[in-house]
Amino acid sequence: MKTILLIIIGLLGGVIGGMGMGGGTLLIPLLTIFAGMEQHAAQALNLIAFVPMSVVALGIHIKNKLVDFKTVLPIALPAVAAGIAASYLSKLTGARALSRYFGLFLTLLGIYQLITAIINAVKEHKKRKRRLLNVREPKRSEIFGSLD
């Protein structure tokens, strides 16, 4: 039964990750809450699962000419270094504290995304309102033509 649960969790994480939403934000809580996995192991498994998903996604993006190689290295190299440093730091942190930090991270991420969605909705509303206000009423002569 546990194997089936792990397969379902893996599928959910893969689908969410494939859609570009970050499967780890779902995979880690599912593994810790429903599969009873320790936080460190869940995060390690997430990192391992991330490798094939990211390779496939990168291949698709390269094929569709969506990768700007000039900006990849300045972003990727510090990200890899930070990932390595964070992995070592997580080993020094207890499982309970690590779980709380991850929960705090997800909460802050959710708040940020909510605020961003609200700001974008307000901007879109203002843009739509401006478009409506800029539409002028046609002149009578434009509707009926010249009566001369």
Side-chain angles (χ1 to χ4, degrees):
M1 184 68 186
K2 189 166 184 164
T3 304
I4 293 171
L5 178 65
L6 291 173
I7 290 170
I8 292 169
I9 290 171
L11 286 171
L12 286 172
V15 167
I16 297 295
M19 291 191 294
M21 291 188 252
T25 57
L26 180 66
L27 187 64
I28 293 171
L30 288 175
L31 287 171
T32 56
I33 294 168
F34 296 109
M37 193 175 281
E38 184 186 321
Q39 183 74 24
H40 287 93
Q43 287 191 221
L45 186 60
N46 176 58
L47 291 174
I48 292 168
F50 178 75
V51 173
M53 285 189 284
S54 61
V55 168
V56 169
L58 182 61
I60 291 169
H61 290 312
I62 289 172
K63 180 183 168 212
N64 293 330
K65 297 182 177 146
L66 297 172
V67 176
D68 180 7
F69 288 100
K70 292 177 187 172
T71 57
V72 168
L73 285 179
I75 293 171
L77 291 179
V80 168
I84 292 168
S87 293
Y88 283 113
L89 183 62
S90 74
K91 283 183 72 174
L92 302 174
T93 308
R96 188 168 173 86
L98 190 60
S99 182
R100 287 185 178 175
Y101 293 145
F102 186 69
L104 178 65
F105 167 74
L106 290 181
T107 301
L108 293 174
L109 181 62
I111 291 168
Y112 170 78
Q113 289 181 331
L114 179 64
I115 291 170
T116 302
I118 291 170
I119 289 170
N120 288 338
V122 168
K123 284 181 182 178
E124 185 61 33
H125 176 73
K126 286 181 179 179
K127 191 187 303 181
R128 234 181 282 128
K129 191 174 179 180
R130 251 184 272 122
R131 265 187 271 142
L132 287 173
L133 291 175
N134 286 338
V135 175
R136 66 177 180 82
E137 291 292 320
K139 295 179 185 173
R140 183 176 171 91
S141 62
E142 292 174 336
I143 295 172
F144 297 108
S146 179
L147 297 175
D148 301 334

